[in-house]
Amino acid sequence: MNLQYKSFYWCLGTTSFRTQNFNKKIEQQLALLRAFWSHEDNRGKDWSASDKIQTGYYNFLHTAGFISGNAKNKPKDAREKTSGLVSLGLIDNNRQLTDAGIELLNLSEQNHFAVDNLLGLPADSFIYFKQLLKTSLEVDTKIVRPFIITIYLIEKLDGISFDEFTYIVPLCIDRRTTLQAVENIKSLRENKTSLKHIIISRLLSRSNYQVALRYFLKATAITEDIVAEVGINRKSRTYDKVYFPLYNALHKFYVDKDMNAVHEILVAIKKLSNTDTLWQQLLFGKTNLRKIKKSPLKYLQATDFDSANTELKFRRVFFTVMHLIKTQRNLADYFDLNRRYMKTSDILFFKDDTVSLDIIPRHYFASICDRLLEIAFESTPHLTENCPLTKIADFLTPNESDILNGINCEFSLNLQSLRDAGELLDHQRYIRLAHMIDSQFSDEQILHILDLIANREDAEIQKLVTDNADIPTIFEYVLGILWYKVSHKKGKILDFMKLSLDVDLLPKTHAAGGEADIVYEYEQSTFYPAHSLLLEATLADRTNQRRMEMEPVSRHLGNHILRTKNRNSYCVFATNDLNINVVSDFKGRKHQRYYDTSDDNNFVDGMKIIPLQIADLKIILEQKLGYEKLYQIFETAFQSELPPREWRNVCIVQELSSPQR
């Protein structure tokens, strides 16, 4: 028997390119591909002609520091690292940059991400948005556009849950299964069906699984080879031989009624490489494994195996459960990839166990939702082009009137143009920001994150904040949130942070970097004059901090004051480890002039730069110091003539900690 694997669900990208700093890595790889093909040894070569060019690209990535380690199959690794970019149309099959890829790389290198479209998307996000609309995959000879299917279901169902996004949406591979998914989700929400039933029904409707099940039921005796064969593993049948001991142990327990076999079940589950946790939870619940081993019968769950008291019933249940769990495992693994790719568009919220559309995109798609299915199951010849929406499909041209009508109806307004919607959208962003701060950035959580940053526990930091930004960017972002609290949540912090933020208002890092300072604007009050505060953050060791940070900080502040003509503006520099020479340099800036390089008569006569460490930031938060008090402390420190080390310790550190305030 030769059972053929045929997929019945889709996934964007590959698990080999499930990378942190996703946007940055894409931009970096586009730049690396351009550099690779421009080398005279590679120019004009065919990517698929031999493994040599692919191995060369792998080695090129390694030399550039883009990857580490030493892959056993370098050509395969090179193909997998780039296949997602091919799917998105940013590079072609020969791994050459397309028009869309070139435009995205240009935006990155120019650090140009401003909004320039009716949908209100940053320039890079708009390119991803258009590419995702065009991206199609082949699933069992069928063509499907995953992004369009996802948007269609979100619109039809007023948002979808994480489980629905994970286990049902990828099952949509044609019009019939998509319309069926709408009804399945409605029934699921009414508790008329279950995820398990939906997946099993879809699975058993496939001809290859039907053939495999008939073969399994008719076998005279079940052997290791038969179990491996009906597992229909897409890589190799040998991977599924591990299910044979589990089959035997379950058979002994449920069919032969050997209660002692429950221990064999636990041993067999442990041998499963990827599905062991799901099998354990199915049979024994989520109890700690140590407790289960002591009293396995105590924790045994009610399952379909309980009624499988005959040979044929047992085989049917085993076959069904094995494939259900394998499918669940794969779909759960793909959740992160599908989310990661789709989030590049910046139109989807993944919050509070719900996937939903942002305001303008939601009303943009509302009037054209049903027409999405016209193009959802066909490929496009325009994938590699940086083309307008109307070229993807004529009905995709944004209709400002329809969008406005939707917004006006939802919020009971009478806006005349999308430009008028700015205040509403801004208000909604700050509502989301307030919710995010309460749920993700409480004082206690920020203090914990600052400790992690100080100790450079990078993996944990990205787990708590976002893995689409590097740690220095996250530090700047957390500093901005902290200062927003210090300023009693007054001011346009989302405008003040010169960071690229995604739709969830979390930071994302780009390959080209650029100045990502925070410029906080303060209006005149009884405590201080009108001024700007530049918040500069860096993470560096003692040796490179002087070289990297002293000149840029003073340059940024000097140029800012020259441009704004406000001599009251100053800078707070925050880092994990202050170098004494950095402190000395900043202290000495009080007595140094900063000149306009084009006009010697235009200069700033002394600048105020206050150096802080992470420990100081923690004190500010713990002591709940408001900006009105900090301004006084910093201004008094600026006027002091103490030597650098004493100046920082006495005028800054001690004052921040002083109970006499």
Side-chain angles (χ1 to χ4, degrees), residues 31-242:
L32 288 167
L33 278 165
R34 182 183 60 187
F36 177 76
W37 290 118
S38 66
H39 194 280
E40 59 182 357
D41 293 339
N42 305 321
R43 201 174 297 136
K45 296 289 179 64
D46 186 346
W47 174 267
S48 302
S50 70
D51 287 350
K52 183 177 180 181
I53 196 74
Q54 296 171 19
T55 299
Y57 181 63
Y58 175 90
N59 292 333
F60 184 78
L61 291 181
H62 199 283
T63 300
F66 186 81
I67 56 176
S68 58
N70 190 25
K72 293 181 180 180
N73 188 335
K74 293 181 178 180
K76 179 182 177 182
D77 204 72
R79 291 192 298 272
E80 291 178 338
K81 289 288 187 294
T82 53
S83 61
L85 303 188
V86 175
S87 296
L88 283 176
L90 298 175
I91 58 176
D92 59 24
N93 287 323
N94 200 41
R95 271 52 176 183
Q96 299 282 350
L97 269 66
T98 63
D99 288 344
I102 291 171
E103 179 62 17
L104 180 61
L105 181 58
N106 287 340
L107 292 175
S108 170
E109 292 181 334
Q110 296 166 14
N111 201 32
H112 175 68
F113 304 112
V115 174
D116 60 355
N117 52 83
L118 275 178
L119 297 183
L121 300 176
D124 62 319
S125 304
F126 190 54
I127 289 179
Y128 282 120
F129 172 70
K130 293 187 294 183
Q131 294 308 114
L132 284 165
L133 285 173
K134 294 181 286 183
T135 296
S136 62
L137 304 174
E138 183 175 332
V139 183
D140 189 21
T141 73
K142 298 177 184 294
I143 299 297
V144 58
R145 298 199 204 180
F147 190 58
I148 287 180
I149 292 298
T150 303
I151 293 170
Y152 174 80
L153 292 174
I154 290 173
E155 278 287 355
K156 279 293 182 182
L157 297 158
D158 194 24
I160 53 179
S161 71
F162 279 13
D163 277 350
E164 292 159 0
F165 177 81
T166 303
Y167 298 109
I168 300 180
V169 177
L171 302 179
C172 301
I173 58 175
D174 54 27
R175 179 182 289 269
R176 180 185 63 82
T177 51
T178 301
L179 296 177
Q180 189 177 40
V182 174
E183 298 308 314
N184 285 338
I185 292 174
K186 289 179 179 178
S187 295
L188 182 66
R189 294 176 181 181
E190 295 171 358
N191 295 318
K192 294 178 180 179
T193 187
S194 64
L195 282 173
K196 180 184 81 170
H197 178 75
I198 293 170
I199 296 172
I200 290 175
S201 296
R202 196 67 60 87
L203 187 152
L204 293 180
S205 70
R206 310 291 295 174
S207 60
N208 57 331
Y209 287 98
Q210 293 172 0
V211 172
L213 177 57
R214 287 196 296 269
Y215 172 64
F216 195 54
L217 294 177
K218 290 180 179 179
T220 304
I222 301 302
T223 65
E224 182 182 63
D225 287 339
I226 289 177
V227 170
E229 184 68 25
V230 300
I232 324 179
N233 194 288
R234 59 181 173 175
K235 293 182 178 179
S236 170
R237 297 296 188 258
T238 58
Y239 286 116
D240 284 340
K241 289 184 177 182
V242 293

Side-chain angles (χ1 to χ4, degrees), residues 268-283:
I269 288 174
K270 191 175 181 181
K271 294 179 180 179
L272 304 178
S273 57
N274 293 321
T275 60
D276 53 333
T277 300
L278 290 176
W279 273 99
Q280 180 185 312
Q281 290 177 356
L282 171 75
L283 296 171

Side-chain angles (χ1 to χ4, degrees), residues 430 433-439 441-443 446 480-493 496 520 522 626-627:
Y430 278 92
L433 177 66
H435 174 71
M436 182 177 65
I437 290 175
D438 290 342
S439 62
F441 295 105
S442 66
D443 289 0
I446 290 181
I481 297 296
L482 184 153
W483 220 263
Y484 185 55
K485 290 178 173 238
V486 162
S487 303
H488 311 294
K489 297 183 180 178
K490 295 180 180 178
K492 299 283 189 179
I493 183 60
F496 299 162
Y520 217 112
Y522 291 98
Y627 183 66

Side-chain angles (χ1 to χ4, degrees), residues 494-508:
L494 295 176
D495 294 335
F496 299 162
M497 285 195 290
K498 310 304 178 182
L499 296 170
S500 186
L501 304 180
D502 65 19
V503 69
D504 290 318
L505 306 180
L506 292 171
K508 54 184 178 181

Side-chain angles (χ1 to χ4, degrees), residues 196 200 203-204 213 216-217 243 246-247 250-251 254-255 279 282-283 302-325:
K196 180 184 81 170
I200 290 175
L203 187 152
L204 293 180
L213 177 57
F216 195 54
L217 294 177
Y243 287 99
L246 179 60
Y247 174 89
L250 290 169
H251 191 283
Y254 287 103
V255 180
W279 273 99
L282 171 75
L283 296 171
T303 68
D304 291 342
F305 284 107
D306 294 329
S307 58
N309 50 8
T310 67
E311 183 69 24
L312 289 182
K313 285 182 178 179
F314 175 78
R315 290 187 189 182
R316 183 180 295 274
V317 171
F318 179 82
F319 178 91
T320 302
V321 172
M322 176 176 66
H323 283 292
L324 169 66
I325 287 181

Side-chain angles (χ1 to χ4, degrees), residues 374-497:
E374 296 177 13
I375 60 173
F377 310 109
E378 60 182 32
S379 59
T380 173
H382 307 298
L383 176 63
T384 61
E385 302 173 22
N386 180 34
C387 62
L389 286 168
T390 187
K391 197 170 184 179
I392 301 173
D394 57 357
F395 64 82
L396 288 174
T397 303
N399 187 314
E400 184 172 1
S401 177
D402 287 345
I403 297 172
L404 276 173
N405 287 339
I407 293 175
N408 285 334
C409 182
E410 179 180 355
F411 295 98
S412 299
L413 297 172
N414 188 31
L415 303 176
Q416 300 302 308
S417 74
L418 282 180
R419 290 189 183 90
D420 298 335
E423 185 176 338
L424 165 68
L425 299 175
D426 203 42
H427 178 65
Q428 292 297 314
R429 291 176 79 210
Y430 278 92
I431 289 176
R432 300 204 310 273
L433 177 66
H435 174 71
M436 182 177 65
I437 290 175
D438 290 342
S439 62
Q440 195 171 345
F441 295 105
S442 66
D443 289 0
E444 292 73 19
Q445 288 165 313
I446 290 181
L447 289 171
H448 178 54
I449 293 170
L450 289 174
D451 281 334
L452 295 174
I453 292 174
N455 297 323
R456 288 310 298 264
E457 297 182 43
D458 294 4
E460 187 63 21
I461 296 166
Q462 292 185 314
K463 180 180 177 181
L464 291 174
V465 183
T466 176
D467 66 358
N468 200 23
D470 57 28
I471 304 306
T473 301
I474 290 176
F475 181 38
E476 293 172 348
Y477 178 79
V478 171
L479 176 61
I481 297 296
L482 184 153
W483 220 263
Y484 185 55
K485 290 178 173 238
V486 162
S487 303
H488 311 294
K489 297 183 180 178
K490 295 180 180 178
K492 299 283 189 179
I493 183 60
L494 295 176
D495 294 335
F496 299 162
M497 285 195 290

